[in-house]
């Protein structure tokens, strides 16, 4: 199975778009009201040490992805069990993101169209991109990131006349408790979801490059999410913000420059589609890599179509309605995702460090 290598710049673009994915439109946990931006900053700071642990795994296992690491450390049987868990997680996460888009289409954009139709279109596009290879996904991510940043900057500037700065006060009116709750929710969704990228570590250009890719990606994505969240807060206010399913779309729809420049919320919808395309593509790629590793297939491409269609089908029935989707995202997901994002990687890292230390000790004894 030939290894695909993409430049660090493209890898950073994938990480940024993966993290901002559906969080730009769905928003983040909003229990803390007008202090939610503090929770976002704390979540980014909490994520950085985790990224250093992920990057350390890349140093300990150069040229290997998450599935190779699990089997190398825990052995064939237990390692493959962990691999199956991550196959499920990436498949499930991709389905969740597709369903976010399906609910958005059904609620806002294509109200008379069956939800399965737009999800299937995006799913088939992701299947094509992943089958073409991570080089295609990487080049697409770099171009789409430039477009995304340009649109975000323009929309941020056009939103300034709508800012109402009193929405930032009173600061911490409910204390630190809701802030810490939002920090935990935002840590798991969206920042720590980048654990999925460990399944694509083989695309990184050299040993040690994971530090630059992960830290840069998380910081830039964090700045984008904080900026967009503060904009939504200043435009809508905490009360309205907490009652909306897609706050960014509503906030941008408020822009009205002299009755000339209006109805530009379509531009933000395009950003949603481009970022979720990268997020679903990475989830699909990593799920297929895991299936190929567990079942010892020659190439992950042989299961891309089947896995992608399963992901689309799961997205169609995974929730009953949009209310259930939002409840899972903000209340259940932060508990469900912790083992995949924190506990198993920590166990993998600690065990790998012990094995590396023992190996070094044996080499010194031999000498």
């Amino acid at each position: 199975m030939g290894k695909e290598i993409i430049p660090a710049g493209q890898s950073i673009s994938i990480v940024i778009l993966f993290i901002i994915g559906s969080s730009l439109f769905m928003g983040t946990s909003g229990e803390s009201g007008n202090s939610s931006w503090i929770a976002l900053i704390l979540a980014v700071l909490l994520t950085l040490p985790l990224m250093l642990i992920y990057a350390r795994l890349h140093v300990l296992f150069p040229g290997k992805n998450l599935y190779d690491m699990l089997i190398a450390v825990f052995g064939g049987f237990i390692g493959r069990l962990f691999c199956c868990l991550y196959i499920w997680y990436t498949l499930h996460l991709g389905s969740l993101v597709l369903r976010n888009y399906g609910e958005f289409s059904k609620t806002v954009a294509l109200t008379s169209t069956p939800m399965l139709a737009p999800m299937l279109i995006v799913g088939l596009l992701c299947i094509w991109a992943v089958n073409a290879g991570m080089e295609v996904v990487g080049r697409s991510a770099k171009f789409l990131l430039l477009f995304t940043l340009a649109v975000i900057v323009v929309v941020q500037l056009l939103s300034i006349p709508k800012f109402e700065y009193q929405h930032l006060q009173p600061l911490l009116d409910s204390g630190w408790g809701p802030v810490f709750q939002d920090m935990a929710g935002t840590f798991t969704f969206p920042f720590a979801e980048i654990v999925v990228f460990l399944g694509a570590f083989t695309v990184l250009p050299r040993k040690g490059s994971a530090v630059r890719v992960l830290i840069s990606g998380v910081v830039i994505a964090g700045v984008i999410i904080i900026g967009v969240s503060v904009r939504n807060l200043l435009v809508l206010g905490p009360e309205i913000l907490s009652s909306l399913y897609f706050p960014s779309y509503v906030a941008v729809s408020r822009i009205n420059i002299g009755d000339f420049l209006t109805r530009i919320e379509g531009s933000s919808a395009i950003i949603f589609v481009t970022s979720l395309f990268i997020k679903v593509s990475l989830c699909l790629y990593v799920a297929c890599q895991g299936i190929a590793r567990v079942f010892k297939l020659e190439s992950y491409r042989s299961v891309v179509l089947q896995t992608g269609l399963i992901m689309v089908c799961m997205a169609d029935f995974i929730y009953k309605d949009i209310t259930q989707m939002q409840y899972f995202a903000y209340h259940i997901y932060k508990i469900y995702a912790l083992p995949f994002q924190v506990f198993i990687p920590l166990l993998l890292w600690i065990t790998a460090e012990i094995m590396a230390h023992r190996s070094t000790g044996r080499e010194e004894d031999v000498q």
Side-chain angles (χ1 to χ4, degrees):
M1 210 184 310
K3 291 185 177 180
E4 303 167 290
I5 303 297
I6 62 176
Q10 294 180 10
S11 299
I12 293 172
S13 300
I14 291 174
V15 170
I16 295 170
L17 289 173
F18 181 91
I19 292 175
I20 67 176
S22 51
S23 60
L24 276 187
F25 250 61
M26 284 192 65
T28 52
S29 297
E31 299 293 328
S32 53
N34 55 12
S35 304
S36 57
W37 59 274
I38 300 176
L40 285 168
I41 294 173
L42 294 176
V44 173
L45 295 177
L46 185 63
T47 306
L48 293 179
L50 187 63
M51 295 304 102
L52 294 177
I53 292 174
Y54 292 172
R56 176 62 179 164
L57 289 172
H58 185 243
V59 174
L60 292 171
F61 300 96
K64 296 183 181 297
N65 61 26
L66 176 62
Y67 304 108
D68 298 325
M69 299 175 196
L70 290 169
I71 292 174
V73 170
F74 298 114
F77 180 71
I78 297 178
R80 278 181 167 78
L81 286 179
F82 280 130
C83 289
C84 291
L85 289 176
Y86 276 101
I87 291 169
W88 161 254
Y89 177 67
T90 52
L91 193 63
H92 187 208
L93 180 58
S95 301
L96 298 180
V97 178
L98 278 175
R99 183 56 180 262
N100 295 157
Y101 175 61
E103 291 290 356
F104 170 75
S105 300
K106 180 181 177 181
T107 306
V108 177
L110 304 170
T111 55
S112 300
T113 303
M115 187 169 55
L116 181 61
M119 292 193 303
L120 182 60
I121 292 172
V122 174
L124 290 174
L125 181 61
C126 295
I127 289 170
W128 171 81
V130 172
N131 195 58
M134 279 299 287
E135 296 97 336
V136 173
V137 177
R139 288 194 295 268
S140 301
K142 192 168 185 178
F143 169 76
L144 293 174
L145 179 63
L146 294 174
F147 172 76
T148 299
L149 292 176
V151 172
I152 289 174
V153 169
V154 171
V155 170
Q156 293 287 93
L157 293 175
L158 293 177
S159 300
I160 292 176
K162 296 292 182 180
F163 285 178
E164 297 182 26
Y165 296 97
Q166 70 270 17
H167 288 153
L168 292 174
Q169 299 173 338
L171 192 64
L172 296 172
D173 58 328
S174 300
W176 283 98
V179 172
F180 289 138
Q181 289 182 31
D182 284 356
M183 178 192 71
T186 307
F187 169 75
T188 55
F189 168 66
F191 293 109
E193 287 180 340
I194 199 59
V195 68
V196 172
F197 193 69
L198 270 67
F201 263 8
T202 52
V203 305
L204 294 178
R206 65 183 185 280
K207 180 179 178 180
S209 58
V211 174
R212 176 190 169 196
V213 170
L214 293 175
I215 297 296
S216 301
V218 166
V219 170
I220 296 172
V223 170
I224 293 172
I225 292 173
I226 292 169
V228 171
S229 298
V230 171
R231 179 203 69 198
N232 295 343
L233 177 63
L234 291 174
V235 172
L236 300 173
E239 292 80 14
I240 297 177
L241 195 62
S242 61
S243 65
L244 296 173
Y245 293 119
F246 304 106
S248 291
Y249 187 85
V250 177
V252 175
S253 69
R254 298 282 182 93
I255 296 175
N256 186 347
I257 308 298
D259 293 325
F260 170 72
L261 191 59
T262 61
R263 304 295 298 174
I264 66 170
E265 60 269 22
S267 62
S268 58
I270 294 173
I271 291 177
F272 183 34
V273 176
T274 57
S275 56
L276 77 87
F277 160 67
I278 297 299
K279 189 165 187 174
V280 174
S281 294
L282 183 60
C283 288
L284 178 59
Y285 173 80
V286 174
C288 293
Q289 284 282 7
I291 293 171
R293 186 69 176 86
V294 169
F295 294 101
K296 300 179 181 179
L297 304 179
E298 291 186 5
S299 173
Y300 73 90
R301 288 182 172 89
S302 61
V303 292
V304 170
L305 178 61
Q306 303 92 313
T307 308
L309 292 177
I310 290 172
M311 191 177 285
V312 173
C313 291
M314 280 181 60
D316 191 41
F317 66 78
I318 203 165
Y319 299 124
K320 184 174 66 175
D321 52 32
I322 192 171
T323 306
Q324 193 178 68
M325 179 189 78
Q326 191 179 49
Y327 180 80
F328 179 85
Y330 296 147
H331 298 90
I332 306 299
Y333 184 76
K334 57 187 173 185
I335 301 171
Y336 160 76
L338 269 180
F340 301 102
Q341 298 173 351
V342 179
F343 299 150
I344 297 176
L346 274 178
L347 179 63
L348 175 63
W349 168 60
I350 293 171
T351 309
E353 291 284 7
I354 293 172
M355 292 173 62
H357 180 72
R358 287 178 178 174
S359 177
T360 303
R362 284 195 295 268
E363 289 176 2
E364 290 176 353
D365 291 340
V366 170
Q367 293 175 356

